[in-house]
Amino acid sequence: TRPYVWEVDNVMMFPAALENTFMVLLIAVNLLFLIRNGAKFNGLSFILLSVLVVITLFCLIGWVTPILGAVVRYKVAALPFLIVLLFSHSGWEKLNLRLSNLVKSK
């Protein structure tokens, strides 16, 4: 999850730090949804595949890449799996219902 926001030395590191902060916040929100909703899984095989891909790639990249800029470049391959994994447990039905009620009321 590096670079952190407090490690930013120049303007070019700031977007990477924001991305990492967003991912950590997204993971925290996802864990909150899992705890609150009783951990209901849809598409368990794809979720397990995503978890294995993300953990394997992030561990491999962290172990073999000595340059921080290269870590940011190499983790791009795992980010789609991480984003799908994190958004798979969100309460989309409730959000769609609230948005449709908001649109109908106007």
Side-chain angles (χ1 to χ4, degrees), residues 2 6-7 44 47 59 64 103 106:
R2 291 187 65 208
W6 56 85
E7 293 179 341
L44 184 61
I47 290 171
C59 287
V64 270
V103 170
K106 288 186 179 184

Side-chain angles (χ1 to χ4, degrees), residues 11-99:
V11 178
M12 295 302 290
M13 285 179 69
F14 191 69
L18 281 179
E19 175 191 356
N20 291 333
T21 304
F22 176 72
M23 287 296 166
V24 169
L25 287 174
L26 197 58
I27 290 169
V29 168
N30 190 28
L31 288 175
L32 180 73
F33 274 123
L34 278 174
I35 291 168
R36 231 169 67 179
N37 295 335
K40 297 176 190 166
F41 291 116
N42 294 327
L44 184 61
S45 60
F46 184 73
I47 290 171
L48 291 176
L49 171 75
S50 297
V51 167
L52 288 174
V53 166
V54 168
I55 289 174
T56 303
L57 279 176
F58 281 176
C59 287
L60 192 66
I61 291 166
W63 286 331
V64 270
T65 309
I67 300 169
L68 187 60
V71 169
V72 173
R73 181 183 312 136
Y74 295 145
K75 74 178 182 179
V76 170
L79 287 180
F81 288 99
L82 181 63
I83 290 170
V84 167
L85 178 66
L86 295 177
F87 281 128
S88 67
H89 299 293
S90 300
W92 295 111
E93 295 85 15
K94 292 179 184 178
L95 181 64
N96 286 335
L97 183 63
R98 289 181 186 165
L99 287 175

